[in-house]
Amino acid sequence: MSHPVIGIFGGTFNPVHVGHVRAAIEVAEALGLAAVEFVPAARPPHKGGEPLLDFALRLRLCRLALGDLPGFSVNAMEADRPGPSYTRDTLETLGRQRPDEEFCFILGMGDLLSLPTWKDGLNLGRLAHLAVHAREGLGLPHFRAFVAERAAAMGAVPTSEPAVWGLPGGRRLTYVPVSRLDVSSSDIRERWRRGGRIHGLVSEAVRHELDNHAAALRAGWGRPAPA
């Protein structure tokens, strides 16, 4: 019997927004994932200069964003890990702790293109399935070109499906087109700084929680412009 495949959606979620949630839903439906876990990074190694909210607040915002969405949850495993939050370490830990499950790491096209700069990034497909969703205006041709160029390093082999490559251990690397939502955490932070409205960019539960933590936002993102 095959093991259930759990989607792992990592990121800083600074803050989590509707684009994150919608992309995760569409990937889960396209691949038939048994569940999806959002895994906020406590100390993201690639975000050294980014103004970052406290981990506990980002964790709570993710829980509020998902609400009671069936099959979706937040995993706080990064909370107690020392040092930077490397995806390789996260996937290794999950595989060791939960041997009766398979995992599918969900990443954006921008993340795929930057994998060579990640810690052991091109070997992530030896630890989990990979699902790439495109929201940055880059599509299937860019996906195929990237993987073809690095196929040997990734252990990837083409299949009869243009959007699917085989990976070691019977895993798959899949391109999943999702609805394009031009929402980014950096844009939300900038709107907040200048006193703009972020309605519709984040869930109402997340927006209310951000309003309730104005002091934390001023410390983490900078003071918004006076009204």
Side-chain angles (χ1 to χ4, degrees):
M1 180 180 297
S2 61
H3 295 159
V5 180
I6 310 300
I8 300 298
F9 197 175
T12 53
F13 302 116
N14 184 44
V16 62
H17 54 67
V18 294
H20 292 133
V21 178
R22 190 63 219 170
I25 290 172
E26 295 193 25
V27 170
E29 291 180 341
L31 300 185
L33 301 180
V36 174
E37 299 176 11
F38 278 46
V39 184
R43 288 162 292 278
H46 293 283
K47 305 286 186 177
E50 178 181 291
L52 196 62
L53 294 178
D54 179 75
F55 176 77
L57 178 55
R58 289 184 285 117
L59 193 70
R60 175 163 172 73
L61 293 174
C62 283
R63 287 176 174 144
L64 289 170
L66 296 179
D68 58 358
L69 184 61
F72 283 68
S73 62
V74 180
N75 186 324
M77 64 181 293
E78 297 288 343
D80 300 320
R81 175 175 298 167
S85 303
Y86 292 117
T87 298
R88 186 200 69 175
D89 297 342
T90 299
L91 296 177
E92 283 183 341
T93 299
L94 287 167
R96 183 174 62 253
Q97 294 179 344
R98 298 158 61 178
D100 292 333
E101 296 173 309
E102 293 183 46
F103 298 96
C104 177
F105 183 62
I106 301 169
L107 64 162
M109 182 67 78
D111 294 324
L112 176 73
L113 299 181
S114 69
L115 277 187
T117 70
W118 292 25
K119 182 180 180 181
D120 216 14
L122 294 179
N123 281 316
L124 294 184
R126 303 178 191 275
L127 300 171
H129 302 278
L130 301 178
V132 179
H133 62 89
R135 290 178 47 241
E136 292 87 2
L138 302 174
L140 182 58
H142 303 87
F143 167 83
R144 290 186 57 81
F146 175 89
V147 180
E149 184 177 347
R150 295 162 181 82
M154 299 178 73
V157 294
T159 72
S160 60
E161 302 175 63
V164 180
W165 288 68
L167 292 173
R171 300 182 181 89
R172 290 155 65 95
L173 165 60
T174 308
Y175 169 82
V176 183
V178 302
S179 302
R180 182 170 175 83
L181 297 176
D182 290 321
V183 184
S184 71
S185 295
S186 58
D187 177 63
I188 291 169
R189 293 194 300 272
E190 180 55 35
R191 288 174 186 273
W192 188 87
R193 289 189 194 105
R194 66 172 187 259
R197 294 182 176 180
I198 59 174
H199 299 67
L201 302 177
V202 299
S203 72
E204 281 299 281
V206 167
R207 187 181 65 79
H208 284 303
E209 190 68 7
L210 290 173
D211 286 345
N212 291 336
H213 288 81
L217 268 64
R218 285 195 294 270
W221 294 350
R223 187 179 297 274

